[in-house]
Amino acid sequence: MAKRRTKIVATLGPASDNAVAIEKLILAGLDVARLNFSHGSADSHREKAQLVRSLAAKHGRFVGIMGDLQGPKIRIARFINQAVQLVQGQRFTLSTTHPADAGNQDIVAVEYPPLIEACHPGDELLLDDGKIVLEVTQVHADCVETTVINAGELSNNKGINRRGGGISAPSLTDKDKDDIKLAAELQLDYIAVSFPRYGRDIQQARELIQAAGSDAWIIAKIERAEAVADDDALDDIISVSDGVMVARGDLGVEVGDARLVGIQKRIIQHARRLNKIVITATQMMESMTHSPVPTRAEVSDVANAVLDYTDAVMLSGESATGQYPVEAITAMARICVGAEAEPTSGLSKHRIGETFTRCDDTIALSAMYAANHYPGIKAIISLSESGRTPLIMSRIKSTVPIFCFTRHPATQQRAALFRGVYSMNFDANQFTTDEVATAAMKHLSAQQAVQSGDWIILTKGAIDQPSGTNSMHILQIP
């Protein structure tokens, strides 16, 4: 089978939080494990992170770990009987003064007082990812009165959105700040920031992450209508992040399902143009929570994201609480490989006609141009300290594998999320400038990634002066 280029992120949870389950996920193709800080204790996250690291090392795999901050999701409080059944047309009140544990058929507490100021008669409030729809009829000093439009069961702690967006809390909560410190302690590779509205929200998160002693890359979760209001708003967030996640749950609720696919494509396009990672997430294989096989629609959904050149596709409940987490990863991997077999997945016009502003970008993009136009090239070796050069390479559509040769574990694990990039443990500093190319080719050959007579491209910087990639060589495997 062809080597899969699109990476797989999977959430760890009750169905996948022990050594046996995590090992099966890694062997099935897991590239990045997601720790959802909305659930679970700090100790449970410590245990899962340690298992991922040790089991990946056992199998010679580089698996990244992402910590996903809960963020300021606006929620209702709790019901006396855990849930109520709302009926179409009934009145239902959201109150800031009602007791938090005393919700009933007619009223429930809201744990975010500014909600009152944000609501106006005629607004539609969407609860539980849009399953329940309430129309605002009156707004008072301490409550919002509504009429139920879409009925159904409403249970504890469900999130609230407004159609069209506009209800936003500060981007980072006190819990998020504590979880950033935990992520730094666990040396996580990525931290996902929930519900950012502006680029300054990401910059605030970066300051806190760095102050905690972490060099984790930031993934901005695009899930607010404000974040996709126009191209400038979207680019404001993408440009200060290291990558983005198309978080289709809350985003779909706020912008409406009819617009979601077009916006997803726009986010992927903008992220790649700005040389950032992009993950497509939420309900990609939802039926596999209870079924061992995906639906045709889910197959199309995953394949569509792959053909749009997302770096990764993500599993949430399917791997965290589902009955078939290993089967979900296996199916997703199979779909990715199938979509990547289409000829269009290897054709790129990225940055054609643009002026390059950095030496390492110029080398990276020149290497990809050569690889895509010289049929003899079977692989690219990028000697890299930070992983930036293989990241830039991976923005170009290609069928040629990119191998990130690095001595740094953080870079090895981080590159696990880059599309078409595969990490290899290699310390270029052990060799002289004249020796390093031969040593790198021997190392790649030993992994059976190339054969004698194959041509490869090797990019590197000055070995004794790690100041960025500044040279490219086309070489033949002896």
Side-chain angles (χ1 to χ4, degrees):
M1 179 178 286
K3 199 171 182 66
R4 172 170 51 85
R5 301 180 69 83
T6 309
K7 304 306 179 71
I8 295 175
V9 182
T11 307
L12 302 185
S16 52
D17 64 356
N18 58 77
V20 173
I22 292 173
E23 186 167 29
K24 288 180 179 178
L25 295 185
I26 291 172
L27 292 175
L30 174 67
D31 295 297
V32 175
R34 172 178 174 252
L35 305 180
N36 186 354
F37 288 148
S38 296
H39 305 284
S41 66
D43 284 342
S44 71
H45 293 311
R46 287 188 183 96
E47 182 179 359
K48 288 194 283 281
Q50 189 276 328
L51 285 172
V52 171
R53 297 288 193 226
S54 61
L55 292 168
K58 172 183 173 182
H59 293 284
R61 291 282 313 283
F62 298 107
V63 176
I65 305 179
M66 176 190 301
D68 196 331
L69 302 180
Q70 177 175 293
K73 188 157 188 170
I74 301 165
R75 301 175 185 273
I76 61 170
R78 295 164 294 284
F79 295 96
I80 295 173
N81 295 318
Q82 310 304 315
V84 296
Q85 186 71 34
L86 298 183
V87 178
Q88 187 175 17
Q90 79 162 83
R91 295 181 64 179
F92 189 70
T93 301
L94 306 174
S95 169
T96 59
T97 56
H98 192 74
D101 294 312
N104 57 46
Q105 183 71 32
D106 302 310
I107 188 170
V108 71
V110 175
E111 300 177 331
Y112 185 64
L115 174 70
I116 305 297
E117 300 173 8
C119 289
H120 305 88
D123 285 351
E124 286 191 349
L125 301 181
L126 304 105
L127 284 70
D128 193 9
D129 285 342
K131 295 182 180 70
I132 305 292
V133 179
L134 311 175
E135 181 178 349
V136 176
T137 55
Q138 294 187 54
V139 179
H140 304 286
D142 63 348
C143 69
V144 176
E145 293 186 12
T146 73
T147 299
V148 176
I149 305 300
N150 279 12
E153 183 180 84
L154 181 62
S155 56
N156 294 340
N157 303 313
K158 294 304 182 185
I160 304 174
N161 300 82
R162 183 173 68 181
R163 195 179 300 281
I167 300 179
S168 297
S171 184
L172 293 169
T173 66
D174 290 340
K175 173 176 167 51
D176 293 334
K177 294 172 184 177
D178 289 338
D179 286 337
I180 284 173
K181 295 175 183 177
L182 175 62
E185 173 198 330
L186 300 181
Q187 298 182 316
L188 300 191
D189 307 295
Y190 292 95
I191 295 176
V193 177
S194 298
F195 304 105
R197 295 164 295 170
Y198 314 106
R200 61 177 178 267
D201 295 332
I202 301 301
Q203 291 170 327
Q204 180 193 5
R206 193 177 298 282
E207 290 171 2
L208 292 171
I209 290 168
Q210 291 175 343
S214 170
D215 61 357
W217 282 20
I218 296 178
I219 302 295
K221 296 171 66 178
I222 307 297
E223 47 195 338
R224 288 289 193 205
E226 298 96 315
V228 295
D230 53 44
D231 287 350
D232 289 341
L234 180 58
D235 289 350
D236 178 50
I237 293 176
I238 296 175
S239 61
V240 295
S241 307
D242 299 298
V244 295
M245 181 189 296
V246 189
R248 303 184 303 182
D250 284 280
L251 181 61
V253 169
E254 294 214 350
V255 303
D257 54 7
R259 292 190 60 209
L260 184 59
V261 173
I263 289 173
Q264 171 180 313
K265 289 176 178 290
R266 176 156 57 99
I267 294 170
I268 294 173
Q269 181 185 55
H270 280 236
R272 296 192 61 81
R273 177 171 55 80
L274 293 171
N275 296 322
K276 308 295 184 174
I277 306 161
V278 56
I279 304 165
T280 305
T282 315
Q283 295 183 329
M284 300 211 81
M285 310 283 273
E286 182 77 1
S287 74
M288 292 195 72
T289 305
H290 305 293
S291 169
V293 295
T295 66
R296 290 288 183 267
E298 289 165 344
V299 171
S300 296
D301 184 30
V302 173
N304 182 57
V306 171
L307 290 170
D308 284 340
Y309 228 70
T310 190
D311 282 277
V313 285
M314 192 176 101
L315 298 169
S316 298
E318 303 96 328
S319 58
T321 59
Q323 299 174 24
Y324 302 97
V326 175
E327 289 85 350
I329 287 185
T330 302
M332 188 169 261
R334 182 180 69 249
I335 296 163
C336 290
V337 171
E340 291 163 5
E342 281 300 300
T344 55
S345 70
L347 301 175
S348 178
K349 295 182 180 179
H350 180 70
R351 296 183 72 168
I352 292 293
E354 290 188 22
T355 299
F356 306 147
T357 58
R358 293 175 51 138
C359 176
D360 51 357
D361 284 12
T362 304
I363 295 296
L365 296 167
S366 298
M368 296 308 298
Y369 188 89
N372 283 344
H373 289 81
Y374 183 34
I377 301 296
K378 301 300 182 184
I380 299 168
I381 298 175
S382 174
L383 305 184
S384 182
E385 294 284 304
S386 68
R388 187 178 189 280
T389 297
L391 170 65
I392 300 300
M393 290 177 175
S394 68
R395 302 308 84 188
I396 302 292
K397 291 183 179 180
S398 179
T399 59
V400 179
I402 303 162
F403 293 93
C404 175
F405 275 40
T406 182
R407 57 186 169 141
H408 301 293
T411 303
Q412 293 161 358
Q413 289 147 195
R414 183 181 298 138
L417 192 53
F418 305 168
R419 178 163 175 153
V421 176
Y422 313 96
S423 296
M424 286 198 175
N425 185 25
F426 184 83
D427 186 357
N429 288 322
Q430 293 183 351
F431 307 97
T432 66
T433 301
D434 293 334
E435 295 171 340
V436 70
T438 299
M441 287 191 290
K442 285 183 178 179
H443 190 71
L444 191 63
S445 297
Q447 306 301 316
Q448 298 183 333
V450 290
Q451 301 176 2
S452 175
D454 286 346
W455 290 89
I456 62 107
I457 291 173
L458 183 142
T459 66
K460 63 184 181 70
I463 300 301
D464 55 346
Q465 298 178 12
S467 57
T469 301
N470 60 11
S471 67
M472 178 183 88
H473 305 264
I474 299 178
L475 304 167
Q476 190 172 30
I477 302 294

